[in-house]
Amino acid sequence: MMRKQSIPLLVLEFLLLLQTSTADPRAQTVNITCGRQPEHNSTIFVPNFVAVMENISEQMRTSGFGMAVVGSGPDANYGLAQCYGDLSLLDCVLCYAEARTVLPQCFPFNSGRIFLDGCFMRAENYSFFGEFRGPEDGSVCGNATRMGSGFGDSVRRAVGQAVSGAPTNRGYAKAQVGTANETAYVIANCWRNLNQSSCKACLEDASKTILGCLPKSEGRALYTGCFMRYSDRDFLNREGGGGSSRGTRVVIIVSVVSSVVVLVVGVAIGHHIWRNRYIQKKRRGSNDAAKLVKTLNDSSLNFKYATLEKATESFGDSNKLGQGGFGSVYKGVLPDGREIAVKRLFFNNKHRAADFYNEVNIISSVEHKNLVRLLGCSCSGPESLLVYEFLPNKSLDRFIFDQTRGKGLNWEKRNEIIIGTAEGLVYLHENSNIRIIHRDIKSSNILLDSRLRAKIADFGLARSFQEDKSHISTAIAGTLDNQAMKNQISRVVHIGLLCTQEIASLRPTMSKALLMLTKKEEHLPAPTSPPFIDEKTMELNDTCEDPSYPLNGDDVGSVANLTHSSFYPR
């Protein structure tokens, strides 16, 4: 079956860094609700979930709405996602990417739904597409500011207009009522799979609930079949590309955002790799896990679980720094006063202590100015923890998706971040004794130090390859002024396109990409067609690899249905 392939996430981050301003994708999470029933069989459930998300992703890029079903019985996965009607397709893709990153934290439960301020997503193991009411329906009241009676009247009128208008307008309506400081802004959206009568019923119920938030200045109704919001501030985008007052932006829409699912793909591939390693080790009768755990406990890399729990105040919400693809991150302070960042892994690694320790041991020795330093780990407590150096400015996404903080990133600083990220990847790919392929480069994995210098995080959770290993998938995995600046931006976009060509051997290595970024006189060839072709066809066409890594009869294999060829990171 022909299907679109996702593009390396590094390209998306280049494009996001190129934004001078943008409409708001409203990717802030309002509420996430997970089911209570555990998944039936992870080896089936996870691939089904990945396939559903990939299918929906393709639909979202063209229509802002998607539905998909994969599998049957207890391992079936039904998915639905929709952006609200005022988002452009670009902003819709960004919002969906965030939802797709957060929802898998419901694993190992087999269902969940998430409301963002710009989009909605739900996954279940049964067909819920006809539902528009549910026991979890309700409201979230926002800002505690208490408004006057005039504002309340404006809200009621605006909500009434939106409720009456949406059912006959593909389930979407917005309204603005009032003057001066009493203006109310409202959006109402039903999911497109509902018929007109179901949409009307859902919005009527939601309107009654949301009005209960008055006299507060913000209110949201989160319903099984619809979403509604009112506010005293104009949060609405102008359809077709965002508000006109937000300035010019460089817009290139690519399918890269679908790679955000790498977090779930990583689970499936990681499970397969673990099984193979476990079987091989068992056959060899070596690698006693208990001995390695003891080694870890005696190692300088080891942190006692109790120490980290105390340092983070029992992983209190006030210390939570954010959420990554592999786990939640918390700020901690050790007894000696050192500030650290502690990651609680979503998928516990206690049962594979040997592999976990080996990975930590390897990655802790990797040092570069553009890599976050891994200080150690804890796998002897009730969950697996990783300990990193603490960086006060957190991650890049906190800047590029924030209109206020984003202003602090002028083009010069953005260019420095791009080059710093590239330098870190060059080191991982080519300059270290153990080559590491990150495979999850995105803005939330690029941290910034006190001087806003880029540091790559989470490379310790990627697959690592020793020098003598010879296999890696070449399948593609994983937004101005004066004229000179425009030329620089165009050049970076050009380089990004070269990195997304359909044949792996045509993509520049990271060292070559870095040279192109830093040497302005370096010639840039014209990019070939984008990689929207069948993966097997792409691999068959990929007959040319780096000459220092010749292909032989033993260098072609298949792992988890991924075609592999000779190892040379790009």
Side-chain angles (χ1 to χ4, degrees), residues 3-7 9 12 48-70 79-83 89-90 92-101 120-122 253-262 265 478 532:
R3 65 183 181 87
K4 295 182 179 180
Q5 301 297 313
S6 49
I7 300 176
L9 281 166
L12 175 62
N48 285 352
F49 179 82
V50 172
V52 165
M53 293 300 101
E54 186 69 15
N55 191 320
I56 292 177
S57 178
E58 296 182 8
Q59 300 174 59
M60 295 291 281
R61 289 195 293 270
T62 58
S63 67
F65 172 79
M67 294 170 55
V69 181
V70 175
L80 178 149
Q82 179 172 322
C83 290
L89 282 178
L90 173 61
C92 178
V93 167
L94 293 174
C95 187
Y96 174 66
E98 177 66 17
R100 198 172 160 181
T101 302
F120 167 83
M121 185 165 74
R122 183 180 180 187
I253 302 178
V254 293
S255 68
V256 59
V257 179
S258 65
S259 293
V260 174
V261 80
V262 71
V265 176
F532 300 149

Side-chain angles (χ1 to χ4, degrees), residues 422-435:
E423 288 177 342
L425 288 174
V426 169
Y427 178 81
L428 291 174
H429 285 191
E430 303 174 22
N431 294 339
S432 60
N433 292 329
I434 297 176
R435 299 190 175 191

Side-chain angles (χ1 to χ4, degrees), residues 166-239:
T168 57
N169 186 39
R170 298 190 70 195
Y172 163 68
K174 64 179 181 179
Q176 175 181 340
V177 174
T179 59
N181 296 328
E182 297 183 340
T183 301
Y185 302 88
V186 170
I187 188 172
N189 236 132
C190 295
W191 316 145
R192 296 184 202 167
N193 55 295
L194 298 181
N195 58 35
Q196 186 170 324
S197 61
S198 295
C199 175
K200 180 180 179 182
C202 185
L203 289 176
E204 287 177 346
D205 288 350
S207 65
K208 297 174 184 177
T209 302
I210 198 174
L211 292 178
C213 288
L214 290 171
K216 293 183 178 179
S217 61
E218 288 272 355
R220 296 170 178 83
L222 314 180
Y223 270 64
T224 300
C226 59
F227 171 85
M228 185 178 293
R229 178 185 179 187
Y230 79 77
S231 177
D232 65 333
R233 65 182 183 86
D234 187 0
F235 62 89
L236 298 166
N237 288 322
R238 308 303 176 218
E239 291 93 334

Side-chain angles (χ1 to χ4, degrees), residues 392-453:
N393 279 314
K394 302 180 182 179
S395 53
L396 178 59
D397 60 325
R398 302 295 184 97
F399 284 81
I400 60 178
F401 292 125
D402 186 291
Q403 289 185 330
T404 301
R405 300 184 77 187
K407 294 176 181 178
L409 293 181
N410 56 26
W411 167 244
E412 287 74 20
K413 182 56 65 177
R414 291 169 187 251
N415 195 42
E416 288 178 11
I417 293 173
I418 290 173
I419 292 175
T421 303
E423 288 177 342
L425 288 174
V426 169
Y427 178 81
L428 291 174
H429 285 191
E430 303 174 22
N431 294 339
S432 60
N433 292 329
I434 297 176
R435 299 190 175 191
I436 299 171
I437 315 301
H438 193 292
R439 298 178 67 85
D440 195 19
I441 291 294
K442 56 187 178 184
S443 57
S444 60
N445 279 338
I446 305 298
L447 305 190
L448 302 176
D449 67 10
S450 58
R451 295 171 58 186
L452 297 180
R453 292 175 297 192

Side-chain angles (χ1 to χ4, degrees), residues 94-150:
L94 293 174
C95 187
Y96 174 66
E98 177 66 17
R100 198 172 160 181
T101 302
V102 177
L103 190 62
Q105 72 179 259
C106 285
F107 187 87
F109 299 109
N110 64 4
S111 63
R113 69 181 193 179
I114 180 172
F115 287 87
L116 280 69
D117 266 334
C119 59
F120 167 83
M121 185 165 74
R122 183 180 180 187
E124 302 280 354
N125 73 330
Y126 72 92
S127 179
F128 62 88
F129 298 140
E131 296 179 359
F132 62 92
R133 289 192 182 99
E136 296 168 342
D137 294 348
S139 63
V140 174
C141 302
N143 198 320
T145 302
R146 301 178 67 86
M147 306 296 288
S149 60

Side-chain angles (χ1 to χ4, degrees), residues 18-39:
L18 293 175
Q19 295 185 126
T20 53
S21 63
T22 180
D24 185 2
R26 300 203 302 268
Q28 303 82 7
T29 298
V30 178
N31 178 267
I32 178 171
T33 305
C34 300
R36 298 180 180 179
Q37 181 180 350
E39 49 79 23

